Structures are given as structure tokens and as C-alpha cells.
Amino acid sequence: MELYYVIAITDRDRGESMSALYRGAGLHMILTTLGRGTATSEHLSVYGLDATEKVVISGVASGEEAAQLLKAAKRKLFIDIPGNGLMLTVPLKSVTGGKTLAYLTDSQKTGGKPSMEFKHELIVVILNEGYSDFVMDAARAAGAGGGTVLHAKGTGSARAEKFFGVSLAEEKDLIYIVAHSDEKAAIMGAISEKAGPGTRAGAICFSLPISSVAGLRARDEG
């Protein structure tokens, strides 16, 4: 079963239109979160996000639904034109139980496995509330163009506090950064060194593969 976690990041005044596309593609579980962009003006020529209020919409889709959704977002919301937001698909390896699979896919019998050939990765950073600008400064110094900040609350982990000095049972910020695969290691390394566990930011980061992405300007290889 080919499944993807589809994430769209766009301006808040376009959120309902984007949600309607998710529903129109047949997705059953659609999550909406408010956030804000972090890109500085000098990076707007590369990334389609600026420091405006954002909405992040996500859901699980089959390969066919993901392709349909991406096509509709390009046609109706021009998501492939930088400045209108981002849409990306993250391949899922597995889900728990047949009932969950049936709910997410409407019992469709689509076959195949998600492609693991990817040029971009989604860097996810979990950090203490209020240090997102500090973390993004470290990320930009290593080549990141921008990110989207979400607010979250941890549920607590004694192990995390013991081994990392990080309390998860506090208000947190969550940052999404889309990066080229060959830039990912440098960005994550810079975040860990300058804002990682043991610092006031207490940032923990990991990355996910992106199968497809729309809304990024072409990178200047020169």
C-alpha cells in the first residue's frame, strides 16, 4: 500500500481553500495547525515563505490521492508558484492495523511502495518556546532558507530530562525546514552545535524524506 503524509503550508487566508482540496481528494483525517513563517527578505528569492501568519494542513493519502491533491493545488491555488506556500509528501512505511488502513484509504487496494528517491528532506526541530529565531539563525548560517514555526506542548519524559537535560513537559516550538538533501546534514549539525541539548534552546531535530515538493524556487547552483 502506497501511502504519503501530505503537508501544505500557506497563508492563513488560503487555509479554508486548501482544506477544501484535501476533502475533495477524499482524505478522511485532515489536521490544521496555525504557524508563522521565518524566512528573511534575502531568502525570498529561493524559498516561497515569508514572515507572515501561516496555516499548516496535513493528512494521510494514497499515492493516487496525493497526486490528485498536488495537481489540484497547482491548478486552483498555484502552489507550484513560489510565494504561494509549500506542499510536500512524506512517504509512510507502515500504519497500525487493518482498520486504520481501511479508514485512511477507504479500503482502496492500491499497490506499490512509496518512492525513497528524494532530493529534499523535511527537518523537524523541537525546541523550548521562544528560541525559534535563535535556532533559525543557526540554520540559516548553514544554508537554510526559512522555516515554519508551530506551537506545541510536551507530555513529559523522565528519560529525556535525565539524559538530555530537556523537559518535554513544557511549552514547545516546532519548526519545519525544507532543505535540499545535500544541505540537510550541515543544517542539522549547526542546530545541534549552537542550539542543541544543553543550551537554552534545547533543540532536538530529525529529518524525514520528501518524495515530492511544490513551491520552492530553483536553487542557484552557481
Side-chain angles (χ1 to χ4, degrees):
M1 174 62 65
E2 185 179 355
L3 292 176
Y4 297 89
Y5 190 53
V6 186
I7 303 171
I9 304 171
T10 191
D11 293 340
R12 290 190 187 178
D13 59 2
R14 292 157 58 90
E16 180 52 40
S17 297
M18 181 63 76
S19 294
L21 295 184
Y22 273 65
R23 294 191 295 268
L27 276 66
H28 297 291
M29 185 181 69
I30 305 170
L31 306 176
T32 300
T33 308
L34 301 181
R36 62 180 176 85
T38 65
T40 56
S41 58
E42 62 265 27
H43 288 100
L44 294 181
S45 61
V46 179
Y47 289 86
L49 293 174
D50 55 14
T52 58
E53 299 301 302
K54 301 293 180 182
V55 61
V56 180
I57 302 173
S58 57
V60 177
S62 67
E64 182 178 346
E65 290 170 340
Q68 176 186 339
L69 179 53
L70 191 61
K71 182 178 180 180
K74 290 179 179 179
R75 185 176 69 253
K76 296 182 179 180
L77 296 181
F78 309 104
I79 199 70
D80 54 331
I81 299 176
N84 289 328
L86 289 172
M87 179 172 277
L88 54 98
T89 60
V90 177
L92 298 186
K93 186 176 182 181
S94 62
V95 299
T96 304
K99 291 183 178 179
T100 300
L101 182 62
Y103 173 76
L104 293 174
T105 65
D106 232 0
S107 299
Q108 298 178 57
K109 298 299 182 181
T110 55
K113 296 181 180 179
S115 171
M116 291 297 174
E117 297 292 329
F118 48 88
K119 296 181 180 179
H120 300 89
E121 295 191 38
L122 176 64
I123 299 174
V124 180
V125 190
I126 304 169
L127 61 141
N128 293 328
E129 182 186 20
Y131 290 91
S132 57
D133 289 341
F134 182 70
V135 170
M136 283 307 305
D137 285 344
R140 288 192 188 97
T148 300
V149 180
L150 308 176
H151 187 67
K153 183 175 179 61
T155 60
S157 170
R159 183 180 183 277
E161 293 188 39
K162 179 178 180 181
F163 288 96
F164 301 109
V166 177
S167 174
L168 295 182
E170 297 176 352
E171 300 298 310
K172 296 290 178 181
D173 283 339
L174 185 69
I175 302 178
Y176 286 164
I177 301 172
V178 176
H180 291 272
S181 294
D182 58 1
E183 297 173 338
K184 178 259 301 183
I187 294 171
M188 293 180 67
I191 293 173
S192 180
E193 178 183 354
K194 299 178 182 178
T199 69
R200 291 185 177 181
I204 297 172
C205 59
F206 55 88
S207 70
L208 301 171
I210 296 175
S211 295
S212 60
V213 61
L216 291 182
R217 283 192 172 91
R219 180 170 58 175
D220 183 1
E221 300 293 353

